C-alpha cells in the first residue's frame, strides 16, 4: 500500500511540475527562441517563427477548456526586436533579465483589454527602448489595465511617444522603475494611477511625468482602498500611498490629472508648481466604511481629517448621504 501511495504521489508531483502555464521567449540578436509548455500547445501560437520581432496569439478556449492564467517569460538581448501579445485573457509578462530595443515599434505591446501584470523578476535588470518617429502609443503599452510589479529593476525610454502607457488604470508595487526619457509622457493612463510602493524615477519627459486621464466624460465615485482593483472607478485621480517617487526635467507638468493628486504616504520629490489638478475640488461622492450618522471630514486630497481645530482651508464633510463643502478662514 505504501509503495502504491508513493507511486501515485510521484505521478501527481510530475503533473504539477510540468503544467507550468509558461511560455518562454529568449531573445538573441535577430532571432528568438520560443518555448511553449506542452499543456499550452493548443492555446498559444507563435506567428513570427524564429524572428526577434515576436508575435504570440493566445486563443480564447479550446474544446471548452481553459488553462488559466499564462505567464510569458522574456529574457535575453536584441537591438532590433519586440514582443507583441494578442489575446483576451489576463496574463503575466515576466521580465527575467531582458535588454530589448525595437526600432520598428513598441518594445512590448499587449493587445489585450484584460488585466496585464508586468513583473520584473527578483534581482533582475531589464532595459526597454523603442524606435523614433513612429506612430505607436508607447515603448511599453497595454490595452487593458496594467499592474507594474516585481522586485527587480525596469529601465524604459520612450523615443516615439509615452514611455509606459495603458488604456485603463495603472498600479505600481515594489518595482524599481527608471524612465530615462519620453517624447510624450513618462507614465500615461486612464481612470486612475495608484502607486502602492516601490521606487519610481522619471526624468526627461517632453510632456508630463505622470498623466492620468478620465476614460469617460463624467467622473465616478472615489474608491480609496482599491482592495480588489476597482474597474469601475474612473476619477482621473493619482494616488500616492507609499514608496519613493522622483520626477525631474519634464517639459510639461510633473503630474497632470483629470482628477486629483491624493497623497497618503511615501517620499516624493517633484515640483509642486508643476502639478495640474483639473478637478481639485470635485469630491462629490466618497465611498468609505463609516458608522451611520457619523460626520466624516476630508481635505481636498481625499484624506480623512480627524478634527478641524486650528486648520484653515476648504473641507468636505460627509454625513450619511449628505455631503457639503466648508470653508474655514
Amino acid at each position: 500500500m505504501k509503495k502504491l501511495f508513493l507511486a501515485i504521489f510521484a505521478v501527481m508531483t510530475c503533473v504539477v511540475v510540468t503544467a507550468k502555464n509558461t511560455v518562454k521567449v529568449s531573445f538573441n540578436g535577430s532571432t528568438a527562441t520560443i518555448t511553449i509548455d506542452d499543456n499550452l500547445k493548443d492555446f498559444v501560437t507563435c506567428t513570427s517563427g524564429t524572428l526577434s520581432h515576436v508575435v504570440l496569439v493566445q486563443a480564447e478556449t479550446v474544446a471548452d477548456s481553459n488553462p488559466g492564467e499564462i505567464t510569458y517569460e522574456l529574457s535575453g538581448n536584441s537591438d532590433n526586436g519586440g514582443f507583441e501579445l494578442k489575446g483576451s485573457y489576463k496574463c503575466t509578462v515576466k521580465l527575467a533579465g531582458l535588454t530589448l530595443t525595437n526600432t520598428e515599434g513598441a518594445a512590448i505591446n499587449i493587445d489585450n483589454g484584460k488585466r496585464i501584470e508586468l513583473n520584473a523578476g527578483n534581482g533582475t535588470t531589464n532595459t526597454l527602448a523603442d524606435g523614433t518617429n513612429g506612430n505607436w502609443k508607447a515603448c511599453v503599452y497595454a490595452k487593458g489595465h496594467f499592474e507594474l510589479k516585481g522586485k527587480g529593476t525596469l529601465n524604459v525610454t520612450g523615443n516615439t511617444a509615452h514611455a509606459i502607457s495603458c488604456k485603463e488604470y495603472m498600479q505600481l508595487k515594489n518595482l524599481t522603475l527608471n524612465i530615462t526619457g519620453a517624447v510624450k509622457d513618462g507614465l500615461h493612463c486612464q481612470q486612475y494611477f495608484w502607486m502602492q510602493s516601490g521606487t519610481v524615477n522619471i526624468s526627461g519627459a517632453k510632456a508630463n511625468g505622470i498623466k492620468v486621464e478620465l476614460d469617460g466624460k463624467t467622473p465616478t465615485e472615489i474608491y480609496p482602498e482599491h482592495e480588489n482593483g476597482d474597474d469601475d472607478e474612473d476619477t482621473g485621480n493619482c494616488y500616492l500611498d507609499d514608496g519613493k517617487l522622483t520626477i525631474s526635467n519634464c517639459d510639461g507638468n510633473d503630474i497632470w490629472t483629470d482628477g486629483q493628486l491624493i497623497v497618503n504616504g511615501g517620499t516624493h520629490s517633484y515640483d509642486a508648481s508643476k502639478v495640474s489638478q483639473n478637478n481639485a475640488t470635485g469630491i462629490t461622492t466618497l465611498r468609505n466604511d463609516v458608522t451611520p450618522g457619523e460626520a466624516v471630514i476630508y481635505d481636498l486630497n481625499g484624506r480623512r481629517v480627524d478634527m478641524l481645530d486650528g486648520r484653515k482651508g476648504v473641507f468636505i464633510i460627509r454625513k450619511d448621504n449628505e455631503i457639503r463643502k466648508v470653508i474655514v478662514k
Side-chain angles (χ1 to χ4, degrees):
M1 179 64 70
K2 182 177 181 180
K3 291 182 178 180
L4 177 60
F5 173 78
L6 292 174
I8 294 174
F9 179 77
V11 172
M12 291 176 62
T13 303
C14 180
V15 170
V16 172
V17 170
T18 55
K20 295 180 293 185
N21 270 25
T22 300
V23 176
K24 293 186 177 181
V25 180
S26 179
F27 291 90
N28 184 12
S30 60
T31 64
T33 301
I34 317 297
T35 305
I36 302 174
D37 281 352
D38 289 340
N39 68 302
L40 299 178
K41 297 290 187 181
D42 293 331
F43 294 92
V44 179
T45 303
C46 176
T47 63
S48 54
T50 61
L51 297 176
S52 57
H53 292 272
V54 175
V55 179
L56 298 180
V57 180
Q58 181 176 332
E60 294 189 5
T61 58
V62 175
D64 297 324
S65 61
N66 188 321
E69 182 166 349
I70 297 175
T71 295
Y72 299 86
E73 183 177 299
L74 313 183
S75 63
N77 300 268
S78 176
D79 58 5
N80 186 18
F83 177 76
E84 181 176 0
L85 176 63
K86 301 178 180 180
S88 56
Y89 283 96
K90 64 182 181 180
C91 66
T92 294
V93 177
K94 184 175 182 180
L95 308 182
L98 175 68
T99 300
L100 185 63
T101 297
N102 189 354
T103 60
E104 302 173 12
I108 294 179
N109 181 38
I110 312 297
D111 188 13
N112 183 329
K114 300 297 184 180
R115 188 272 291 149
I116 306 299
E117 177 179 326
L118 184 68
N119 190 303
N122 188 10
T124 66
T125 298
N126 307 274
T127 302
L128 306 174
D130 59 352
T132 60
N133 302 318
N135 58 5
W136 48 90
K137 296 178 176 67
C139 176
V140 180
Y141 176 76
K143 186 178 180 180
H145 52 274
F146 234 165
E147 294 183 1
L148 308 177
K149 295 184 176 181
K151 295 185 178 180
T153 299
L154 174 59
N155 306 311
V156 182
T157 303
N159 291 312
T160 279
H162 311 303
I164 301 178
S165 177
C166 65
K167 197 173 180 180
E168 298 178 6
Y169 65 85
M170 185 182 296
Q171 300 173 234
L172 192 143
K173 185 176 182 180
N174 294 330
L175 182 68
T176 297
L177 173 62
N178 300 310
I179 294 178
T180 56
V183 171
K184 293 185 178 179
D185 303 322
L187 294 175
H188 181 104
C189 66
Q190 295 182 344
Q191 295 183 318
Y192 65 87
F193 173 78
W194 180 26
M195 182 172 176
Q196 297 173 266
S197 60
T199 300
V200 177
N201 301 301
I202 302 174
S203 64
K206 300 301 182 183
N208 308 287
I210 298 175
K211 184 171 182 178
V212 188
E213 296 180 316
L214 287 171
D215 184 31
K217 295 181 179 179
T218 304
T220 65
E221 60 182 308
I222 296 174
Y223 293 71
E225 299 302 327
H226 306 295
E227 291 177 350
N228 300 310
D230 297 306
D231 293 330
D232 294 332
E233 177 175 337
D234 183 17
T235 57
N237 287 346
C238 177
Y239 300 97
L240 304 180
D241 281 359
D242 206 345
K244 183 178 181 180
L245 171 66
T246 302
I247 304 177
S248 61
N249 300 321
C250 295
D251 292 352
N253 292 294
D254 284 0
I255 299 176
W256 192 103
T257 74
D258 268 350
Q260 307 165 74
L261 171 61
I262 299 177
V263 180
N264 295 315
T267 303
H268 315 106
S269 176
Y270 52 78
D271 189 342
S273 68
K274 296 177 68 177
V275 174
S276 174
Q277 302 180 78
N278 293 330
N279 189 29
T281 59
I283 299 178
T284 56
T285 305
L286 292 167
R287 176 180 173 179
N288 204 14
D289 294 328
V290 298
T291 303
E294 177 187 2
V296 183
I297 305 170
Y298 300 88
D299 64 16
L300 290 183
N301 281 328
R303 295 172 296 196
R304 189 165 173 171
V305 178
D306 291 332
M307 56 190 301
L308 291 178
D309 292 348
R311 295 175 181 265
K312 297 181 180 180
V314 181
F315 300 90
I316 304 298
I317 298 179
R318 174 190 177 187
K319 184 175 180 180
D320 295 330
N321 292 326
E322 178 185 354
I323 298 175
R324 55 196 178 93
K325 182 163 60 176
V326 176
I327 301 174
V328 180
K329 298 182 178 180

